[in-house]
Amino acid sequence: MQLSSIFGMLLFLYTILLFCQLCTKAEKYICQMIGDPKYPLLSKDGDITIGALFPIRSIETLPSFEFTKKPQPLSCSSVNLRDFRKAQTMIFAIEEINQSERLLPNVSVGYKIYDTCGSRLSSMSATMTLMNGHDVAAGDKYTCKQSPIHAIIGETESSATVILSRTTGPFKIPVISHSATCECLSNRKDYPSFFRTIASDYHQSRALAYIVKHLGWSWVGAVNTDNDYGNNGMAIFLTTAQEEGICVEYSVKFYRTEPDKLQKVVETIKKGTAKVIVAFLTSYEMYNLLEQLSIQNITGLQMIGVEAWITAKRLITPNCFHVLGGSLGFAVRKIDIAGFADYVTKVFWETAFPCSKPDENLSQYALSCKIYQDLLVLKNFSDDVPEQRYASNVYNAVYAVAHSLHSLLKCTEGCEKDMLIQPQQVAEALKKVNFTVKMGDHVWFDRTGGVIAQYEVINWQQDSDGSVQFKPVGYYDGSLPPDKRFLLNSESIIWVGGQLEKPRSVCSESCPPGTRKAAQKGRPVCCYDCIPCAEGEISNETDSNNCKQCPMEYWSNTEKNKCVLKAVEFLTFTEVMGIALVFFSLFGVGLTVLMAILFYSKKDTPIVKANNSELSFLLLFSLTLCFLCSLTFIGRPTELSCMLRHTAFGITFVLCISCVLGKTIVVLMAFKATLPGSNVMKWFGPVQQRLSVFACTLIQVLICVMWLIISPPFPHKNMKYYHEKIILECNLGSTAGFSAVLGYIGLLAVLCFILAFLARTLPDNFNEAKFITFSMLIFCAVWITFIPAYVSSPGKFTVAVEIFAILASSFGLLFCIFAPKCYIILFKPEQNTKQHMMGKVPSKMLIFLYTLLPFYHLYTKAENTICQMMGDPKYPLLSKDGDIIIGALFVIHSEVSLPSFEFTQKPQHILCSSVNIKDFRLAQTMIFAIEEINKSKSLLPNVSVGYKIYDTCGSRLCSMSATMGLMNGLEFAARDICTGQSPIHAIIGETESSNTVILSRTTEPFKIPVISPSATCDCLSNRKDYPSFFRTIASDYHQSRALAYIVKHFGWSWVGAVNSDNDYGNNGMAIFLKTAEEEGICVEYSVKFLRTEPEKIRNVVDIIKQGTTKVIVAFLTGFEMKSLLEQLRIQNIAGLQMIGVEAWITSKSLMTPNSFHVLGGSLGFAVRKIQIEGFADYVVKAFWDTAFPCSFNAELNCSQYQDLFVVKNYNEDVPEQRFPSYVYKAVYAVAHSLHSLLKCREQNGCEKDLTIQPHQVVEALKKVNFTVKMGDRVWFDSTGGAVAQYEVVNWQQNLDGSFQFKSVGYYDASLPPDQRFVINTKNIIWARGQLEKPRSVCSESCPPGTRKAAQKGRPVCCYDCIPCAEGEISNETGNLQPISQFQKFKRKLIIGSFCIILLLFRIKFLIKEVHK
C-alpha cells in the first residue's frame, strides 16, 4: 500500500513537470487563441478604441456538444431594449466627442461593442477578444502585443462585472460599469482598475434600512438574489437594519436557475407574519418570484425594491399589479440626454448600424445582416427613451474615458497623437477626472472608483386607465448634508392594495406609555410583551425598554406615564379632625376660664380657701396654656412652629404638674403641721410654694433651651411610611432632648402621684389628695398608652395622638381637681361650710370621669450652488422695480387647474381662478406700505423699494415655482445658470403654515429672510431648522394653550378635538392636548383630516356623531372647516359648541344661513382687527391707477387680470380684514432692517452702493424695534415671533337675521399672567342660541356618600358613583376613596380607651384592698 502511494505521487510530479516544460518551451509565443474569434456587434475604427459589453440580447442558444465535430457559433435571440439603448448611448456620446473641438481635438474615438447575450460564456469570449484584437485570426503563430482598447465599458450585472474585472485586472485595463452596483467591487485591492458611474449598493442598502425605519416598520422579511450583487447588498442591509433597531423575520435567497429554492422562498413568505418585504433582487429573479406569488395568490405584501427591478418594464404584466402594486423602492435618476431621442430614430441607423451601407473592408460575417434582423424592428421606435434611467450613466462613462485620454495626450488646441498610451495610465488618469456633462451632472470618482449616490424613490401606482406608472415620491441624495439626504412625500404614496393608509408591520404592537417592553424568550428584540410599570415607576415614551423610578418627592399617576408631586399630608385646621381638636381645645380653654371666674367669685368660701387658692389659680392658668399649646400642633409645620409646639408643651405641662405637686405637698404638710410640736409649715409657706413651682419649671426651661441650641426640632418630609404621599412632620432633632422633656414631666407626675397616694387617707371631708391621686392616675395612664399609639400611628395621626394626649391629660386634671369643687359651689352650697368639710362625703365624680374615657376615639378622623431651471420661468402677478426688492407669495386665486401630463408634449401653463379677496387685500397692503416708505423722508430716504408679488393659487407646485423665480430672478432663464446673489432681500409669505414650512426650508440654505403675516405653526419657532424665518403674528403655542384655558374656564372637562392633518393642525393640537392634560381636561377623541381626504372627513363626522361630548375644539384651517361644515350640515349634526382658532373663526366664507345652525354660538380666538389709515381709499383708486399692471402697461396681456377688475370699486370688506396690519408690519420691519444696514441718515440719505446680502437682513431683523403709525410696537422674540394678542370672538345673529363676529373678550400675553385672559360671559350666545352655558362632562359628580370608580379603558373623567361600604363615609363631592383608614384608627383608640378603663378599675380595686 505504501509503495503504490509513493509511485502515484511520483507520477503526479512527473506530469506537473512535463506541463511546466510545455508552458515554458516557446520563446516567442506566450498566448494562443483556441477556436474562432468573436466579432463585435457594433464597431468603428479610431485613433483610440473603447470596448463595451452589453447583453443586447437576453437568450443564448448553445450548440450541440457531441465532441465529434467543431461546434457551431453561439446564437442569441430576444432583444433586450434597455441594453440596446445603452449601446446606442455609447455611440451617441462617442460621436459627440468626435465632433467636439474642445475634447480630444484631432483624435478620432472608435468603439467595439460586443453582445454578451446575458451569458457568462459569451461574456468571457468577448472579453478575451477585446484584450487580444482581431488579427489573431490570421495565423496560429503570433505575438501578444498591447491591448488594442484603452478601456472597457460594462457589464450590466454585478456578477458578470466581477468576472470581467478579475479577467482584465492583471492587464490593468480600466473597466467602467454603468450599472454594476455590488459593494464587493469597491475593494481596490481586488479591483484596482474598476470604476463605475453608478453608486455602490452600500448606499442603496443603507437607504433601504432608512426608508423602513422612516416608515415605522420594525418587522420585515428579506429576499435576495444568490449572487455577488444580492448577497453583498443584503449583508449591508441586514447590518444597517440591526443598527437601526429593525428586526428581520427571515432572510432567504435564490438564483434564477434554482426552482426548488424559489419554492422554499415562497413558502417562507407565505408562512411569515411580516407585511413588508425587502427584495434585493435582479429583474430576472424578481420576475420568477412574481410569477410564483401570482400563482399562489399571495398578495397584500408591501414590497421594498432596489434599482435593479423597481422600474423594470418587463415586470409589468396583467397579473402583476395585485402583487407589486404600491411597491416602493430606489431607482437611479432619470436624466434626459439632449438630442438622443432623435439620434436613435434616424442618425444611428444611417451612420452606425452595420447594415446601413456595407463597406468592402467588412468581413463576410459582418456583411451577413441576419444577426441584425431583430434589431431593425426598433428602427423607428423611441417611446421608451424618456424612461431610460441608465443611459446617462453610459454617457458619463464614455466622457470619463475621453477626459482621462484628453489629459494623457496633453491636448490643448490639438493632441499628441503619437504618444503610446498604456491601459494602466488610463486607469490612473480616471482617478483624477473631474468634469461636468451637458446635462449638468458633475462626474468624478471617489477612492473606491464609484460616484455619489443619488436615487429617486419610486412608487408603483395605477392610472385611471389601468396602466402602471412609476411615480417619484421622494429622493435620496448622498451629496447633501446627512439630515437632508432623504426626503419622502408620504402623502403621495399609494400603498399595497391601493390603500391610502400606510400598512403596519410589527412583531409586537407598541407598548404605550405606562408600560415597558419585556423580550419574548428566543425571539428577536422586536418581539416583546408589554408589562405595566410598578408603583412609583413610569415610562413616558412609547416602546420604553425600562421604567424610570420617580424622584423622591414624586409618584406615578394612575396611567404610570407621568410623575406627579406626591400629596403632602399634615393635620390642617380645615379638615374634620382638625376642627374637632380645635373645638375641644377651645372648649377646654373656655371651661378653664369659667372655672377660674367661678373660683374668683367664690374666693372667700371655705372650699376655695381650703384648696390653696393661689396655687389653684396658677394651676388653672397653666391648664389654659396646656389647652392652647395643642393648637401649635395643627397646621403646616414650620421651623418656628416645630420648636414652639414641643417646648410650649413641655414647659406648660411642667408648670401644671409643679402646681399639682405644690398642692399635694401643701395638703401633706398641712396635716403634718397639726401634730403636736410640728413647725413644718413655716418651711412651706406661700413664698416657698411659688419658689418650688418656679424652680421646677425653670429646670424644664433649661432643658428646652439646651435642646433648641444643640439640635432643635425642624420640619421634615417623611417619605418612608407611605410611598405614594409625603408626611410633613416635625422631626424631633434630638430624641434625647424630647426624652428629657417627657422624662422630666413623667418624674414630676410620678412624684406627685406617690405623695398624693400617701395623703389619700388623711382625715378630711374634702381631702384633695384623693382627687390629685386619681388625676395623676389618669395623667400617667394617658401618657403610658400615648407611647405605643404615637409610634404606631401613621402620618398626621401621630400629631392627632399627641394632641389627644395633651387634651385628655388636661381635661383629666381639670375635671378631677376642680369639677368636684365646682359641683359643690354650684349645686351643693350647703356643703360649702367649714363644719361640713370636717366630715366625710363620698365623691361620685369618678363615675362621671369613667364614662368620658370611652369617647376617646371621637377626637380623631381618617386620612385621606449648482442649479438649473427646468421649464419656463414664472413671472410675478404684481411687480415694481427699485433699488431694493421685496418678494411676496400670496394665494390671490384659490383654485388651480393642472395641465395634462401625457409626456408626449410640453405641458401647458397652470391656470388659476376664483379670486381670494382676503389675500388680494394682503398684496394691496404690501404695495400700500411700500408706497408709504418710498414717500417717507425719514425711512430709507433716496432709496426706492420695489416688489415682486407672486400668486401661488393655493398650490404647492405654483408656490415652489414662484419661490425659485424669486430666488433666481427672471434673467436666469436666458442663460440657464445661476449668476450670483438673489435679486430679492426678503420674502413676505406664505399664508398657510405648511406652505410656509416648504418656503422656509427652500430659502434657508440661501439665508433669505421669510416674514409671514399669518403662518402660526409652532414648528416654525425652531430656530435650528428655520433660522431665517420671522412672523408678525404670534405662534400657535400661545393660541393652543389659550384654547385649553378657555375650556377650563367654562368648566368643560369632556371635549372632542379635530385638527387639520398638516403642520399647522398637528403642532397646534399637540400643544392643546398637552395643556388640556395638565389642566385636568379629558379629550374623548382626537381626529384629523385633510381637505383632499373625503373618506377621512366622513370618518371624522361619524366619530363626532357617536361622541357624547358637547364641546369640540376645532384646530382647522378655513378649507378643512368648510369641508367639515358641509358634512355636518348634510347629516344635520347641530347643537355642538365649537371652539375655534384664528384660521376660521372670522371667515366670512363660512358664515351662511345654512351653516349658522351648525356653527352658531361658536367661540374662538381671532387676531386683532387694526385699521390702517388711508388704506380703504387706496384700494379703490390709487392702487388701480398706479400699481395695477393693466393701468399703465398697454402692451401687457391683461387676460390673467380680468377677474381682479371685479373688486376695483369695492372696499366694504376692508374694515373687517384682520391680517393686513400684519403684512404692513412685515414690510416696515424689512424697511427698518435695511435702513440700519444702509447706514441711512435723514439729511445725508443712504449709502446705496453698499451690497446687502440676505443673511445681513436676517441679522438686522432680529434687532428691529419700532412703532407703526397704528400704535403697535414691532419687534421679534428669540423664536422670530411676535407677542400673542387675540380677541375672543362669538358667532351671533342680529335681530335683522344678519350674522356678526362679536368680540366678548381678549387674550394678551404682554400683560401680567393674572390679567392676560378676560372674557365677558354675559355677552355670549351659546350653541342653538342658548343663553345658558352648555355642560360637557363624561360623568356627573358623585354626591357625598359615594366614591368615584374609574371606568375601565376610559379617561379619568369617566367614572361610576359607587356607594360607600358599611362603616365608610365620603363627606365631599367627587371623593375617590371612602374614609377607610378612619375605621382602623378608631379601633385602635377604642381598644386603648377600654384598656385604660380596665386599668383604672383594677387600681381602684387594689386601693380598696389596701385600705381594708
Side-chain angles (χ1 to χ4, degrees):
M1 179 63 71
Q2 290 179 346
L3 287 173
S4 62
S5 300
I6 294 169
F7 180 76
M9 182 61 71
L10 290 173
L11 182 63
F12 172 75
L13 291 172
Y14 288 146
T15 306
I16 293 295
L17 289 171
L18 181 62
F19 181 76
C20 291
Q21 184 181 8
L22 290 172
C23 289
T24 57
K25 182 179 179 183
E27 295 177 2
K28 193 175 181 181
Y29 315 100
I30 56 174
C31 54
Q32 184 177 9
M33 176 167 283
I34 306 299
D36 296 330
K38 184 177 178 69
Y39 291 91
L41 186 70
L42 301 167
S43 65
K44 179 183 177 180
D45 294 332
D47 301 325
I48 290 168
T49 304
I50 302 174
L53 305 177
F54 299 115
I56 296 173
R57 296 180 181 88
S58 58
I59 298 175
E60 181 182 57
T61 305
L62 295 173
S64 174
F65 295 106
E66 299 177 351
F67 303 102
T68 56
K69 59 181 180 180
K70 185 177 181 180
Q72 295 298 313
L74 304 174
S75 61
C76 300
S77 59
S78 186
V79 175
N80 182 356
L81 180 58
R82 188 165 76 167
D83 280 83
F84 181 53
R85 292 295 185 220
K86 294 174 188 174
Q88 289 178 307
T89 304
M90 177 176 171
I91 299 169
F92 173 74
I94 288 173
E95 293 302 331
E96 269 192 353
I97 294 165
N98 286 336
Q99 293 169 16
S100 172
E101 296 179 358
R102 184 180 58 82
L103 188 61
L104 291 176
N106 77 309
V107 173
S108 64
V109 181
Y111 54 86
K112 296 181 187 295
I113 300 174
Y114 286 84
D115 181 8
T116 65
C117 305
S119 162
R120 294 183 183 177
L121 183 62
S122 293
S123 177
M124 182 58 77
S125 174
T127 303
M128 298 304 295
T129 306
L130 276 172
M131 290 194 296
N132 295 315
H134 290 167
D135 53 347
V136 297
D140 291 337
K141 295 181 180 181
Y142 59 91
T143 59
C144 287
K145 55 186 179 180
Q146 174 191 348
S147 172
I149 57 166
H150 294 82
I152 299 174
I153 293 175
E155 279 218 19
T156 301
E157 288 193 0
S158 293
S159 295
T161 308
V162 168
I163 297 170
L164 169 62
S165 298
R166 285 195 179 277
T167 306
T168 60
F171 303 97
K172 310 296 184 185
I173 300 171
V175 173
I176 306 114
S177 177
H178 53 280
S179 61
T181 57
C182 180
E183 168 62 12
C184 57
L185 290 162
S186 296
N187 188 334
R188 302 308 277 171
K189 182 178 179 182
D190 293 340
Y191 309 101
S193 305
F194 174 76
F195 301 85
R196 51 183 157 199
T197 52
I198 192 171
S200 157
D201 275 333
Y202 173 81
H203 306 284
Q204 182 177 212
S205 298
R206 292 182 69 83
L208 284 171
Y210 297 152
I211 199 172
V212 170
K213 179 75 172 178
H214 176 80
L215 293 168
W217 296 320
S218 59
W219 187 242
V220 298
V223 186
N224 67 278
T225 302
D226 193 7
N227 59 12
D228 296 306
Y229 170 75
N231 292 331
N232 281 275
M234 184 53 71
I236 297 166
F237 167 76
L238 293 174
T239 302
T240 311
Q242 187 177 6
E243 293 170 358
E244 294 295 327
I246 301 163
C247 296
V248 180
E249 183 181 12
Y250 52 82
S251 178
V252 289
K253 56 187 175 181
F254 69 96
Y255 195 63
R256 68 194 72 165
T257 58
E258 299 172 330
D260 291 339
K261 271 195 177 181
L262 174 59
Q263 288 297 329
K264 290 180 180 178
V265 166
V266 173
E267 285 300 317
T268 302
I269 293 171
K270 196 173 182 179
K271 293 175 183 176
T273 58
K275 300 299 180 185
V276 177
I277 296 178
V278 177
F280 213 107
L281 304 166
T282 68
S283 59
Y284 298 103
E285 278 76 27
M286 193 64 211
Y287 184 83
N288 295 343
L289 178 62
L290 172 62
E291 192 175 40
Q292 287 300 317
L293 292 175
S294 298
I295 291 170
Q296 298 196 34
N297 195 28
I298 299 172
T299 59
L301 298 174
Q302 179 64 51
M303 292 289 182
I304 307 298
V306 290
E307 42 79 28
W309 68 264
I310 198 68
T311 57
K313 289 281 187 181
R314 69 192 301 264
L315 296 179
I316 300 176
T317 63
N319 297 324
C320 74
F321 197 78
H322 77 287
V323 176
L324 292 184
S327 292
L328 210 63
F330 293 102
V332 294
R333 294 181 306 150
K334 197 162 48 174
I335 300 174
D336 184 34
I337 304 171
F340 181 60
D342 297 330
Y343 176 80
V344 299
T345 55
K346 189 171 186 206
V347 180
F348 170 78
W349 303 97
E350 293 175 357
T351 60
F353 196 63
C355 288
S356 299
K357 45 181 181 180
D359 194 336
E360 293 179 358
N361 295 329
L362 294 173
S363 66
Q364 187 66 29
Y365 183 83
L367 282 173
S368 176
C369 288
K370 289 182 180 178
I371 63 170
Y372 299 101
Q373 285 300 318
D374 51 357
L375 297 176
L376 287 168
V377 179
L378 306 172
K379 186 171 184 180
N380 297 314
F381 178 71
S382 66
D383 292 352
D384 67 304
V385 172
E387 297 299 320
Q388 293 296 330
R389 293 178 180 269
Y390 294 92
S392 61
N393 292 349
V394 177
Y395 185 90
N396 293 345
V398 173
Y399 267 86
V401 175
H403 275 275
S404 64
L405 292 167
H406 185 89
S407 63
L408 290 171
L409 293 173
K410 302 176 181 178
C411 299
T412 52
E413 295 180 359
C415 303
E416 298 180 16
K417 295 172 63 174
D418 299 332
M419 287 184 68
L420 183 63
I421 303 300
Q422 298 294 335
Q424 61 265 33
Q425 292 177 280
V426 181
E428 289 303 315
L430 278 168
K431 296 176 183 178
K432 302 171 186 175
V433 294
N434 196 325
F435 61 94
T436 303
V437 293
K438 67 180 182 179
M439 297 91 74
D441 273 13
H442 185 57
V443 181
W444 60 280
F445 298 107
D446 61 20
R447 58 186 178 82
T448 67
V451 296
I452 291 173
Q454 292 176 314
Y455 303 108
E456 282 183 348
V457 182
I458 296 298
N459 181 218
W460 278 46
Q461 298 188 8
Q462 196 166 30
D463 288 337
S464 55
D465 60 357
S467 62
V468 177
Q469 65 163 329
F470 306 128
K471 184 175 179 180
V473 292
Y475 65 80
Y476 179 90
D477 190 341
S479 65
L480 297 177
D483 59 330
K484 297 179 181 178
R485 285 179 184 170
F486 179 59
L487 178 67
L488 185 66
N489 184 4
S490 302
E491 294 177 0
S492 301
I493 299 173
I494 304 297
W495 303 97
V496 61
Q499 299 296 312
L500 296 177
E501 188 174 347
K502 181 184 70 179
R504 284 180 58 77
S505 186
V506 293
C507 180
S508 299
E509 291 297 330
S510 295
C511 288
T515 62
R516 65 175 178 84
K517 296 195 294 186
Q520 295 177 357
K521 192 173 181 180
R523 302 199 69 190
V525 292
C526 299
C527 302
Y528 48 79
D529 298 316
C530 298
I531 308 299
C533 292
E535 291 293 330
E537 295 182 345
I538 64 156
S539 67
N540 54 3
E541 297 174 350
T542 303
D543 288 337
S544 180
N545 288 319
N546 294 297
C547 295
K548 295 182 288 187
Q549 185 75 39
C550 284
M552 285 295 290
E553 294 191 11
Y554 290 80
W555 192 249
S556 56
N557 61 355
T558 309
E559 292 77 20
K560 308 292 179 60
N561 60 4
K562 186 178 180 182
C563 285
V564 295
L565 279 169
K566 290 180 180 178
V568 178
E569 185 183 79
F570 55 89
L571 187 60
T572 66
F573 287 100
T574 55
E575 60 183 296
V576 176
M577 183 162 59
I579 292 170
L581 292 172
V582 169
F583 170 77
F584 283 109
S585 177
L586 297 177
F587 176 72
V589 171
L591 204 60
T592 307
V593 171
L594 288 174
M595 286 185 179
I597 293 170
L598 179 64
F599 263 57
Y600 184 78
S601 64
K602 302 292 183 180
K603 63 180 183 297
D604 296 326
T605 60
I607 197 166
V608 176
K609 287 181 177 180
N611 284 280
N612 198 335
S613 59
E614 187 175 344
L615 286 179
S616 294
F617 283 117
L618 188 58
L619 179 57
L620 287 170
F621 172 71
S622 64
L623 283 172
T624 303
L625 294 179
C626 288
F627 284 118
L628 288 175
C629 83
S630 65
L631 298 177
T632 62
F633 288 81
I634 304 174
R636 189 181 189 90
T638 62
E639 287 187 10
L640 182 62
S641 67
C642 285
M643 289 189 289
L644 181 62
R645 64 173 58 170
H646 288 101
T647 53
F649 154 70
I651 293 168
T652 55
F653 260 80
V654 164
L655 178 62
C656 181
I657 301 299
S658 298
C659 292
V660 175
L661 181 63
K663 287 173 71 67
T664 308
I665 293 173
V666 167
V667 171
L668 194 61
M669 292 301 107
F671 281 99
K672 292 291 183 182
T674 60
L675 296 175
S678 177
N679 196 24
V680 73
M681 278 303 293
K682 71 176 184 179
W683 301 108
F684 212 80
V687 176
Q688 288 79 5
Q689 293 172 25
R690 295 189 200 106
L691 286 174
S692 65
V693 171
F694 176 76
C696 292
T697 307
L698 181 61
I699 293 170
Q700 184 74 308
V701 170
L702 292 175
I703 293 170
C704 290
V705 169
M706 292 295 292
W707 182 16
L708 293 179
I709 291 172
I710 297 170
S711 181
F714 58 89
H716 169 64
K717 293 179 179 179
N718 188 340
M719 302 179 195
K720 295 180 180 178
Y721 200 92
Y722 293 107
H723 293 299
E724 70 278 7
K725 60 185 175 183
I726 298 171
I727 306 300
L728 190 57
E729 61 186 11
C730 284
N731 188 294
L732 295 174
S734 170
T735 307
F738 184 60
S739 300
V741 168
L742 286 181
Y744 184 62
I745 295 171
L747 176 65
L748 291 180
V750 170
L751 180 61
C752 188
F753 173 75
I754 293 170
L755 292 175
F757 183 78
L758 292 174
R760 75 191 186 285
T761 58
L762 294 175
D764 189 2
N765 192 39
F766 196 81
N767 188 357
E768 194 175 23
K770 296 177 183 178
F771 303 113
I772 293 172
T773 303
F774 193 73
S775 66
M776 287 297 102
L777 189 61
I778 293 173
F779 185 90
C780 294
V782 167
W783 286 99
I784 289 168
T785 55
F786 159 78
I787 295 169
Y790 182 84
V791 171
S792 62
S793 296
K796 59 187 176 183
F797 297 117
T798 305
V799 179
V801 166
E802 194 165 357
I803 295 172
F804 180 82
I806 292 170
L807 293 177
S809 55
S810 299
F811 275 115
L813 288 170
L814 184 66
F815 285 123
C816 288
I817 295 174
F818 293 101
K821 300 176 181 66
C822 292
Y823 175 77
I824 292 172
I825 292 171
L826 293 174
F827 302 108
K828 300 286 184 180
E830 68 277 5
Q831 295 182 9
N832 192 6
T833 62
K834 190 174 181 180
Q835 293 78 11
H836 182 77
M837 291 183 66
M838 298 306 293
K840 290 188 176 180
V841 180
S843 175
K844 299 180 181 178
M845 279 303 295
L846 291 177
I847 301 171
F848 170 69
L849 292 173
Y850 292 153
T851 60
L852 290 178
L853 291 174
F855 297 99
Y856 178 75
H857 64 281
L858 294 177
Y859 289 95
T860 59
K861 180 179 180 279
E863 68 175 57
N864 262 325
T865 113
I866 296 173
C867 52
Q868 182 179 6
M869 177 165 283
M870 311 301 287
D872 298 329
K874 184 175 177 68
Y875 292 91
L877 187 71
L878 301 166
S879 65
K880 178 183 177 180
D881 292 331
D883 301 323
I884 289 166
I885 304 294
I886 303 175
L889 304 179
F890 296 118
V891 188
I892 296 174
H893 292 87
S894 58
E895 293 181 10
V896 62
S897 300
L898 295 174
S900 174
F901 295 102
E902 299 175 349
F903 302 102
T904 57
Q905 59 183 3
K906 186 177 180 180
Q908 298 298 312
H909 290 288
I910 294 171
L911 300 176
C912 300
S913 60
S914 187
V915 174
N916 179 5
I917 193 167
K918 179 181 170 184
D919 275 43
F920 183 51
R921 293 296 185 222
L922 301 184
Q924 289 178 308
T925 306
M926 177 176 170
I927 299 169
F928 174 74
I930 288 173
E931 291 304 328
E932 267 192 357
I933 294 164
N934 286 336
K935 293 173 185 176
S936 173
K937 294 181 180 179
S938 61
L939 187 60
L940 292 175
N942 79 308
V943 173
S944 63
V945 181
Y947 53 86
K948 294 182 186 295
I949 300 175
Y950 284 77
D951 181 8
T952 66
C953 306
S955 161
R956 293 185 182 177
L957 182 63
C958 292
S959 177
M960 183 56 75
S961 175
T963 304
M964 299 307 293
L966 279 172
M967 291 196 297
N968 298 315
L970 301 181
E971 72 276 11
F972 176 81
R975 297 187 295 276
D976 210 32
I977 57 171
C978 290
T979 58
Q981 85 172 79
S982 169
I984 57 164
H985 294 83
I987 298 174
I988 294 176
E990 285 223 28
T991 309
E992 287 193 355
S993 294
S994 294
N995 289 341
T996 308
V997 168
I998 298 169
L999 169 62
S1000 298
R1001 284 194 179 276
T1002 306
T1003 59
E1004 195 281 321
F1006 306 97
K1007 309 298 181 187
I1008 300 171
V1010 173
I1011 307 108
S1012 176
S1014 58
T1016 56
C1017 179
D1018 189 56
C1019 55
L1020 289 162
S1021 296
N1022 187 335
R1023 300 309 276 172
K1024 183 179 178 183
D1025 293 339
Y1026 310 99
S1028 307
F1029 174 76
F1030 301 84
R1031 52 183 155 200
T1032 51
I1033 192 170
S1035 156
D1036 274 334
Y1037 173 81
H1038 306 283
Q1039 183 175 210
S1040 298
R1041 292 182 68 83
L1043 284 171
Y1045 297 152
I1046 203 171
V1047 171
K1048 179 74 173 179
H1049 176 80
F1050 288 117
W1052 296 319
S1053 61
W1054 186 241
V1055 297
V1058 186
N1059 67 278
S1060 299
D1061 192 8
N1062 55 20
D1063 297 304
Y1064 170 76
N1066 291 332
N1067 280 273
M1069 184 53 70
I1071 297 166
F1072 167 77
L1073 293 175
K1074 184 179 179 182
T1075 311
E1077 184 181 2
E1078 293 170 355
E1079 294 297 324
I1081 301 162
C1082 296
V1083 179
E1084 182 181 17
Y1085 52 80
S1086 179
V1087 289
K1088 57 188 175 182
F1089 67 94
L1090 207 57
R1091 70 195 79 162
T1092 55
E1093 300 171 331
E1095 191 63 33
K1096 270 196 178 181
I1097 297 173
R1098 286 191 287 273
N1099 290 339
V1100 166
V1101 173
D1102 287 339
I1103 290 169
I1104 292 173
K1105 195 173 181 179
Q1106 294 165 11
T1108 60
T1109 179
K1110 301 300 180 185
V1111 177
I1112 296 178
V1113 177
F1115 212 109
L1116 302 166
T1117 66
F1119 298 104
E1120 272 80 33
M1121 193 64 209
K1122 189 175 182 180
S1123 303
L1124 177 63
L1125 174 61
E1126 186 179 356
Q1127 287 299 318
L1128 291 173
R1129 188 172 51 79
I1130 290 170
Q1131 298 197 33
N1132 195 28
I1133 300 172
L1136 297 172
Q1137 180 62 51
M1138 291 289 182
I1139 307 298
V1141 289
E1142 43 81 28
W1144 69 265
I1145 198 67
T1146 57
S1147 176
K1148 283 281 188 182
S1149 62
L1150 295 178
M1151 189 171 271
T1152 63
N1154 292 329
S1155 68
F1156 196 81
H1157 82 285
V1158 177
L1159 292 183
S1162 292
L1163 208 64
F1165 293 100
V1167 295
R1168 294 182 306 149
K1169 206 164 30 174
I1170 302 173
Q1171 300 302 319
I1172 305 171
E1173 184 183 349
F1175 179 62
D1177 296 330
Y1178 176 81
V1179 299
V1180 293
K1181 184 166 174 49
F1183 169 78
W1184 303 96
D1185 296 339
T1186 60
F1188 196 60
C1190 290
S1191 301
F1192 51 85
N1193 190 348
E1195 298 177 1
L1196 187 67
N1197 178 15
C1198 288
S1199 59
Q1200 62 174 323
Y1201 299 95
Q1202 206 65 37
D1203 52 358
L1204 295 176
F1205 277 107
V1206 179
V1207 296
K1208 184 172 183 181
N1209 297 315
Y1210 176 73
N1211 69 349
E1212 293 176 10
D1213 65 301
V1214 172
E1216 294 301 313
Q1217 294 292 337
R1218 293 177 180 268
F1219 290 95
S1221 62
Y1222 294 96
V1223 175
Y1224 186 93
K1225 293 175 190 175
V1227 174
Y1228 267 85
V1230 176
H1232 276 273
S1233 65
L1234 291 165
H1235 185 88
S1236 64
L1237 291 170
L1238 293 172
K1239 303 175 182 177
C1240 299
R1241 301 290 182 271
E1242 194 168 343
Q1243 295 81 10
N1244 303 326
C1246 304
E1247 297 180 14
K1248 295 172 65 173
D1249 296 329
L1250 286 172
T1251 302
I1252 303 299
Q1253 299 291 340
H1255 67 86
Q1256 292 176 282
V1257 183
V1258 172
E1259 292 304 313
L1261 278 168
K1262 295 176 182 178
K1263 302 170 186 175
V1264 295
N1265 196 325
F1266 62 95
T1267 303
V1268 291
K1269 67 181 182 181
M1270 296 91 75
D1272 278 19
R1273 192 163 75 89
V1274 181
W1275 60 280
F1276 299 108
D1277 62 21
S1278 60
T1279 67
V1283 175
Q1285 292 175 315
Y1286 302 105
E1287 281 183 348
V1288 182
V1289 171
N1290 181 218
W1291 280 42
Q1292 297 188 10
Q1293 191 169 24
N1294 296 324
L1295 296 174
D1296 59 358
S1298 61
F1299 311 112
Q1300 67 164 329
F1301 305 120
K1302 184 168 182 180
S1303 179
V1304 294
Y1306 65 82
Y1307 178 89
D1308 190 346
S1310 65
L1311 298 176
D1314 59 334
Q1315 298 174 16
R1316 287 178 183 172
F1317 181 60
V1318 173
I1319 191 162
N1320 188 355
T1321 310
K1322 294 178 181 178
N1323 291 346
I1324 299 174
I1325 304 296
W1326 304 98
R1328 291 186 182 274
Q1330 298 296 312
L1331 297 176
E1332 188 176 343
K1333 181 186 71 180
R1335 278 180 58 76
S1336 186
V1337 294
C1338 181
S1339 300
E1340 292 297 330
S1341 296
C1342 289
T1346 63
R1347 65 176 178 85
K1348 296 195 292 188
Q1351 294 176 359
K1352 192 173 182 181
R1354 302 200 69 191
V1356 292
C1357 299
C1358 301
Y1359 48 81
D1360 297 315
C1361 296
I1362 309 299
C1364 293
E1366 291 297 322
E1368 295 180 341
I1369 67 162
S1370 72
N1371 53 4
E1372 295 174 356
T1373 301
N1375 259 359
L1376 289 172
Q1377 292 292 336
I1379 305 172
S1380 54
Q1381 289 284 353
F1382 179 77
Q1383 304 297 329
K1384 298 178 183 177
F1385 189 63
K1386 186 169 68 174
R1387 281 195 295 271
K1388 279 186 183 179
L1389 295 178
I1390 291 171
I1391 293 167
S1393 300
F1394 277 110
C1395 288
I1396 292 170
I1397 292 167
L1398 291 173
L1399 178 63
L1400 292 173
F1401 274 112
R1402 182 62 180 165
I1403 291 170
K1404 185 178 180 182
F1405 175 78
L1406 290 172
I1407 290 171
K1408 287 181 179 179
E1409 290 296 321
V1410 171
H1411 183 66
K1412 289 179 182 178

